[in-house]
Each structure stands twice: as C-alpha cells, then as structure tokens.
C-alpha cells in the first residue's frame, strides 16, 4: 500500500472515530448526568430517613458495594435465596473460557486472583490461535454447504432462462439472507424468550457478540434465574457458528474484490497495449511521409535479382537508367516489444533465434546498442571427410 493511500485511510478512520465520539457523547451524556443526579437524590433521601448514619459512612458503604459488584457479586442474591448459585459453576466457567479464546471478553465476570490472571495469560496465548484455526475450518465447511445449497437454486433459475448476471445477484442475496435468518433473527427470538429481553435488546446483544465487541451490559445466562447448566455452552456454540458465517462472508467479499482487481488490471494492460500499438503505427506513418529518406540496405544484404536479358545498345546512346527498386514500408512496431522496457531483450532473443534457425541474416544492431550474446554454432569441417578438431573452442 502506498504511503499516500495509507495516510488517506488513516485520516478517514480518524474522521470516523471523531464523528462517532460526537454522536455517542450527544446521546449518552445527558442520560449519565441524569443518573448521577438521581443517585445524589437517593443518597440525600436515605440520610434524611436515617440521621444516625453519617455521610462518610454511607460513602464507604457505597464504595464497598461497587467493589463487590465489580468482583462478580449479584445484589439480587442473599444468603437465604439462591444459596447454591455461583457465577463460577462449570457452565459459566466454560462460557467464560469461550469468551477468552473468541476475544469477545464481555467483562461481566473478571478474574480477581493473581493465579487466575497468570493462567489467563498463557491460556489466551494458546487458545486464540487454536480457535482461529478452528474458525477457518468451520467457516470453510459452512460456506461450502451454503453455496452448495444455493447452487441448486441457481440451477433452477438457469432452467428458467434467467440471465446469469441476475442469478449471481440473487445467489449473493440468498447467501446473506439465509445466514442472517439462521444466526441473527432466530437467536434474537430465542433470547427474547429465554432472557425476557425486548427485541431491540436481544438484537443488540446478537450484533455486539458476533462482532466480538462484547460490552458486557447484556450477557446470556448471567441471570441467576437460569438454572440450566447447558444453556451457556449452547450459546457458545452459536457464537462459534455465527463467527464462522461472518468469516465466510468476509472471505467471499475479499475474493470478489481480488477478482475485480485482477480484471481491472487486465483491462488496463489491454488499453496500454492498444495505446502503444497505435502510437507506434502513427509514428511509423509520420516518419515514412515527412521524415528522412529510407536508405537502401547494404550490398551484402541486398537481395539478388535475376540479370536482365542482354540487348544491343545503339552506339552513341547512353544506357537507360535502371528502374528504381520498390521498397516496402516498414511495418509498425508490435506492442509486445514496446510495452515494457524489461521485455525488449527477451523479444530480441526470441526473434534472433527464430531468424538464425530459418537461415536468415540477422539485422545489424544500431550504433550505441549491443545485441545479446547468442549461442554460437560449432564450425563446419573445411574439407570433405576431414574430422573436426576437438581442440577448437566452441
């Protein structure tokens, strides 16, 4: 990528980030200020209702509660109800491990021990590349299966004599619609039913998860009301297939862009060859019409003509001049020899070898240039029956 293109792309990304920051600030800052004012009002109301509690003690209590919530504690759980509930049971721990290797990282559950953090470092370094290999394989199989199914539909459209361009567009649209139906719309309704979320909250969770953003404000299975141990592992398998589908979509888009780039380069190369051929033809014609007179070839290369029949010339009459020889106009240069300077030598080598094999004389190289050294043929024996001297260098 060129430096100017890279700088332009960097400027575009920075502009996109600044515009997103302005929009998010305009949308979220008023809600934050309102929540802060509500917390202050609740705090003052509590102090008025309980005058025995000082403001400093209440502040320390709120800070301890915030630290406990950050450590994974749930305020809806007390010592009497949900006594067997744990955020680190087998299903939840499996889901947490899955969020590490998929690089989603919701953040609702975090590691608080030094041993856990140290193990997470090595676990992520090994698990992320391993999951990348698995994701590539699953995406390849999934994309092949979807394309095979869409191929049958394309065959039906072709039997109906639908134009090929329209069939390609319809197949691409079907590929996107089937994937969105399986991995976006269906999970949205499932999460609405299982988690009690609205449709906007469910589709927000689906998109944030499959794009590996993972804010952590909405996490499937994080509610203590979910008692099924297999719910979060099933959610992880949905994440696997959803990420594989999006990976196959991105691969398809990359292949399409690569094909378009190759076609564009081929068309530009054809245009360049045509322009070079046209320029060479025009230059040759202009040189032939208004340029210097073309000199005849030297005596050694002039073709031998049959001698004219002898006729007696009358005495005292000068001989009639010979008719001028007809010279063919020079053929315009071909595009293959003029397109690229690095290909001229190869073109000369091929043409010289061909002419030498046919027994034609090689044209003299212009002054200031040298022909590439061709392989010399061994000398023939001078006399009949005389063997060739082996000491003569070839």
């Amino acid at each position: 990528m060129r430096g100017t293109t890279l700088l332009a792309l960097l400027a575009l990304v920075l502009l996109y980030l600044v515009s997103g920051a302005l929009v998010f600030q305009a949308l979220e800052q008023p809600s934050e200020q309102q929540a802060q004012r509500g917390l202050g009002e609740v705090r003052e109301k509590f102090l008025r209702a309980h005058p025995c509690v000082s403001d400093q003690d209440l502040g320390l209590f709120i800070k301890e509660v915030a630290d406990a919530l950050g450590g994974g504690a749930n305020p809806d759980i007390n010592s009497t109800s949900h006594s067997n509930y744990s955020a680190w049971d087998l299903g939840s721990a499996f889901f947490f491990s899955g969020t590490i290797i998929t690089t989603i990282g919701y953040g609702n559950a975090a590691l608080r021990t030094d041993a856990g953090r140290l193990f997470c470092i090595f676990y992520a370094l090994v698990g992320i590349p391993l999951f990348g290999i698995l994701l590539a394989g699953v995406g390849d199989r999934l994309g092949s299966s979807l394309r095979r199914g869409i191929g049958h539909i394309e065959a039906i459209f072709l039997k109906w004599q639908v134009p090929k361009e329209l069939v390609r567009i319809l197949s691409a649209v079907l590929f996107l619609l089937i994937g969105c139906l399986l991995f976006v719309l269906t999970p949205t309704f499932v999460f609405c039913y299982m988690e009690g979320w609205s449709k906007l909250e469910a589709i927000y969770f689906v998109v944030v998860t499959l794009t590996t953003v993972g804010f952590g404000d909405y996490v499937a299975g994080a509610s203590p009301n979910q008692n099924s141990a297999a719910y979060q592992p099933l959610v992880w398998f949905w994440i696997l297939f959803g990420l594989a589908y999006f990976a196959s979509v991105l691969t398809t888009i990359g292949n399409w862009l690569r094909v378009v780039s190759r076609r564009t380069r081929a068309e530009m190369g054809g245009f360049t060859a045509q322009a070079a051929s046209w320029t060479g033809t025009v230059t040759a014609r202009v040189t032939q019409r208004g340029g210097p007179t073309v000199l005849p070839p030297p005596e050694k290369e002039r073709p031998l003509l049959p001698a004219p029949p002898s006729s007696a010339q009358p005495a005292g009459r000068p001989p009639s001049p010979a008719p001028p020889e007809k010279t063919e106009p020079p053929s315009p240069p071909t595009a293959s020899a003029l397109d690229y300077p690095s290909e001229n030598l190869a073109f000369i080598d091929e043409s010289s070898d061909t002419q030498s094999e046919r027994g034609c004389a090689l044209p003299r190289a212009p002054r200031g240039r040298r022909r590439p050294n061709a392989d010399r043929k061994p000398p023939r024996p001078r006399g009949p029956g005389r063997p060739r001297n082996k000491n003569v260098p070839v």
Side-chain angles (χ1 to χ4, degrees):
M1 184 179 292
R2 297 180 179 178
T4 56
T5 306
L6 185 61
L7 291 177
L9 185 60
L10 178 61
L12 180 62
V13 172
L14 291 177
L15 181 62
Y16 190 76
L17 290 176
V18 171
S19 62
L22 293 175
V23 172
F24 288 131
Q25 183 183 14
L27 294 176
E28 297 297 329
Q29 193 174 24
S31 177
E32 178 193 9
Q33 294 175 355
Q34 183 178 359
Q36 193 68 31
R37 288 193 297 268
L39 178 62
E41 293 175 358
V42 170
R43 183 173 180 173
E44 293 177 358
K45 184 178 179 180
F46 180 83
L47 291 175
R48 287 195 300 268
H50 302 83
C52 59
V53 180
S54 64
D55 191 5
Q56 185 177 2
D57 294 338
L58 181 59
L60 293 176
F61 176 75
I62 293 175
K63 185 178 180 180
E64 291 178 0
V65 170
D67 293 338
L69 293 177
N74 196 331
D76 297 332
I77 300 174
N78 51 33
S79 58
T80 57
S81 63
H82 303 92
S83 58
N84 295 327
Y85 173 79
S86 173
W88 290 102
D89 57 359
L90 184 59
S92 301
F94 178 86
F95 186 73
F96 177 79
S97 301
T99 59
I100 292 176
I101 64 175
T102 57
T103 68
I104 294 177
Y106 288 110
N108 63 318
L111 300 172
R112 295 294 174 182
T113 61
D114 294 337
R117 292 167 181 170
L118 182 62
F119 175 75
C120 181
I121 293 173
F122 295 100
Y123 188 79
L125 291 178
V126 176
I128 291 175
L130 184 63
F131 180 77
I133 299 173
L134 174 65
L135 188 64
V138 174
D140 189 13
R141 289 297 183 91
L142 185 62
S144 301
S145 301
L146 290 177
R147 283 189 291 269
R148 192 180 302 113
I150 293 173
H152 297 293
I153 302 175
E154 289 181 354
I156 296 174
F157 283 124
L158 292 176
K159 287 182 181 179
W160 293 346
Q161 296 182 355
V162 180
K164 293 183 179 180
E165 292 78 8
L166 183 59
V167 170
R168 291 175 182 175
I169 296 174
L170 290 176
S171 63
V173 172
L174 284 175
F175 183 75
L176 294 176
L177 287 179
I178 293 174
C180 291
L181 179 64
L182 291 177
F183 303 109
V184 177
L185 293 180
T186 302
T188 298
F189 290 103
V190 171
F191 291 134
C192 287
Y193 175 75
M194 295 296 295
E195 302 289 339
W197 296 337
S198 64
K199 292 182 176 60
L200 178 60
E201 293 172 343
I203 198 170
Y204 167 77
F205 168 74
V206 168
V207 173
V208 166
T209 299
L210 294 183
T211 53
T212 67
V213 176
F215 289 116
D217 48 354
Y218 290 91
V219 179
S223 175
N225 297 325
Q226 294 293 337
N227 297 323
S228 177
Y231 177 66
Q232 284 190 322
L234 290 176
V235 173
W236 184 85
F237 280 102
W238 160 73
I239 293 174
L240 170 63
F241 286 101
L243 291 177
Y245 166 73
F246 278 101
S248 64
V249 169
L250 293 178
T251 304
T252 304
I253 294 175
N255 293 335
W256 177 73
L257 292 176
R258 194 177 295 111
V259 170
V260 170
S261 176
R262 289 178 181 176
R263 290 181 179 177
T264 304
R265 291 180 181 177
E267 293 177 358
M268 293 301 296
F271 292 154
T272 304
Q274 292 178 4
S277 178
W278 179 80
T279 304
T281 305
V282 171
T283 304
R285 290 180 180 177
V286 171
T287 305
Q288 181 182 359
R289 292 181 181 179
T293 307
V294 180
L295 297 177
E299 293 295 333
K300 294 182 180 180
E301 298 182 0
R302 182 176 296 176
L304 299 177
L305 299 176
S310 60
S311 58
Q313 296 289 340
R317 186 175 180 181
S320 60
E325 296 180 359
K326 294 182 179 180
T327 58
E328 296 181 359
S331 60
T334 56
S336 60
L338 296 177
D339 284 348
Y340 305 101
S342 60
E343 294 182 0
N344 289 334
L345 295 178
F347 177 82
I348 293 173
D349 287 339
E350 292 177 3
S351 60
S352 61
D353 295 339
T354 305
Q355 292 180 4
S356 61
E357 290 175 2
R358 293 181 181 177
C360 301
L362 290 174
R364 293 184 177 180
R367 294 182 179 178
R369 297 183 181 178
R370 286 189 177 181
R371 291 187 293 106
N373 296 328
D375 296 335
R376 296 181 180 179
K377 293 184 178 180
R380 297 181 181 178
R382 296 182 179 179
R386 183 178 179 181
R388 186 178 62 184
N389 189 3
K390 295 183 179 181
N391 296 326
V392 176
V394 179

